[in-house]
Amino acid sequence: MHNAALAALGIDWRYLAFNVRPEDLGPAIAGAKATGMIGLNLTVPHKLLAVHLVDVLDESASTWGAVNTVRFEGQASNGDWLPLRCFDEAPAKVRAHGFNTDAEGIILSLREDLGFTAPGTKILLLGAGGAGRAAALRLAAERPREIYLVNRTTQKAEELGLEIRTRYPFVKVNLGYPPGAIDLALNATSLGLKPEDPLPFDPRSLPLKNTKAAYDMIYRPAETAFLAAAKQAGCRVANGLGMLLYQGARALELWTGVPAPVSVMRKALEANVYGSPEVH
Ligand code: ATR
């Protein structure tokens, strides 16, 4: 999706993938810096390690304790740090600036793919693992009225509930299923990745007809049993491909300084993930 975007923007850069062992991440970042690379994306398990390896952290990265995007910046003669695209010749001093665009990706995908904005809403979050925690905390910052947390391991839901209450005391947090209608049910569990997986929720406790929209962070398969059931019940539905798309679009904007060509990126991503453009 990045190379398609760069071609559409007429920018002569290339986005390349490298396999890096966790113990080599420091030298890999130093090497990218030394060779004048514009920036990096990092994925599991590098996102947490990179927090300690970049020179400066953006608030997005310090808030979530994870870096998924690095922008290399040079020091201009007036002392300001500017993205490398702003220099004709390699600057003497270069630093690695760490960002996190993952959390923003979910907010943008919910808005663009589902027409969902969180303020004043009731949200059910299924799953309190790594992805569920980040989604819950980022959504809580948007001031929904209530968040309901359901997780197989109750203790993890309790800990997450406490963290939300501490950081965002204006949000009402409940453990368990909502008693009435909700605006969004979001699956952040891994249930649905495999065809034999059970539903990520208890259908007796969550009547989907009382749910306006359903989002599954899983994007392969494109339609999980959860999304199929939600669609059948009349919910607006979207899968997690948009999260991947929008975290990438935001990263590209950090590197290029211009708006990302999102539809070009979506088409390239869908062709890559599903083999052909998805019909929406
Ligand atoms: P990720 O980083 O993708 O969120 P994770 O932190 O391992 O991965 O979280 C996986 C989530 O899927 C958790 O909410 C997990 O529930 P537990 O906290 O109880 O482990 C949930 N999950 C995984 N397998 C499950 C299963 N068979 N039944 C119910 N929930 C499951």
Side-chain angles (χ1 to χ4, degrees):
M1 66 173 160
H2 285 292
N3 284 324
L6 292 170
L9 292 171
I11 296 176
D12 189 17
W13 298 349
R14 296 290 181 277
Y15 187 96
L16 302 167
F18 298 94
N19 278 317
V20 176
R21 287 191 203 91
E23 60 271 28
D24 292 332
L25 184 60
I29 293 176
K33 188 200 265 188
T35 49
M37 289 197 193
I38 292 290
L40 302 169
N41 273 145
L42 304 163
T43 189
V44 176
H46 299 313
K47 294 183 193 189
L48 302 179
L49 298 171
V51 170
H52 310 287
L53 296 172
V54 295
D55 302 306
V56 56
L57 284 178
D58 181 69
E59 200 193 324
S60 59
S62 51
T63 305
W64 306 113
V67 169
N68 80 324
T69 302
V70 173
R71 183 172 71 191
F72 291 110
E73 298 171 345
Q75 196 166 32
S77 48
N78 66 358
D80 289 351
W81 291 95
L82 303 172
L84 284 193
R85 66 171 187 273
C86 303
F87 294 85
D88 291 329
E89 285 181 22
K93 276 196 186 161
V94 178
R95 70 177 188 182
H97 194 165
F99 297 80
N100 189 311
T101 66
D102 283 331
E104 209 49 36
I106 176 126
I107 297 295
L108 288 168
S109 178
L110 287 171
R111 192 180 73 200
E112 300 299 322
D113 300 334
L114 272 187
F116 174 86
T117 49
T121 57
K122 291 186 188 176
I123 300 171
L124 167 65
L125 185 79
L126 303 164
R133 176 181 169 273
L137 290 168
R138 183 62 190 82
L139 278 164
E142 299 285 305
R143 294 185 170 264
R145 179 143 30 111
E146 290 185 59
I147 294 182
Y148 291 84
L149 298 175
V150 170
N151 195 52
R152 174 180 58 178
T153 312
T154 321
Q155 194 195 339
K156 275 208 249 169
E158 285 167 3
E159 284 165 9
L160 177 57
L162 192 64
E163 196 176 353
I164 299 172
R165 284 187 199 107
T166 310
R167 285 170 74 165
Y168 305 102
F170 44 81
V171 180
K172 187 161 185 282
V173 184
N174 311 278
L175 301 179
Y177 286 96
I182 54 167
D183 299 285
L184 175 70
L186 195 157
N187 178 37
T189 75
S190 46
L191 292 177
L193 283 171
K194 288 179 266 149
E196 67 272 21
D197 280 346
L199 284 167
F201 68 100
D202 174 4
R204 290 162 306 173
S205 307
L206 177 71
L208 283 169
K209 60 177 175 20
N210 286 344
T211 303
K212 283 192 195 143
Y215 191 93
D216 201 325
M217 284 197 180
I218 294 170
Y219 58 85
R220 201 162 18 203
E223 189 176 87
T224 56
F226 168 59
L227 285 190
K231 206 162 147 188
Q232 178 92 32
C235 308
R236 300 195 309 281
V237 296
N239 73 20
L241 197 75
M243 281 176 65
L244 182 60
L245 169 69
Y246 285 103
Q247 64 74 32
R250 273 284 181 262
L252 191 82
E253 289 172 352
L254 287 170
W255 300 319
T256 64
V258 298
V262 174
S263 56
V264 170
M265 295 177 81
R266 183 188 288 276
K267 225 172 132 198
L269 189 59
E270 285 173 351
N272 192 278
V273 174
Y274 300 123
S276 63
E278 277 286 291
V279 179
H280 282 278

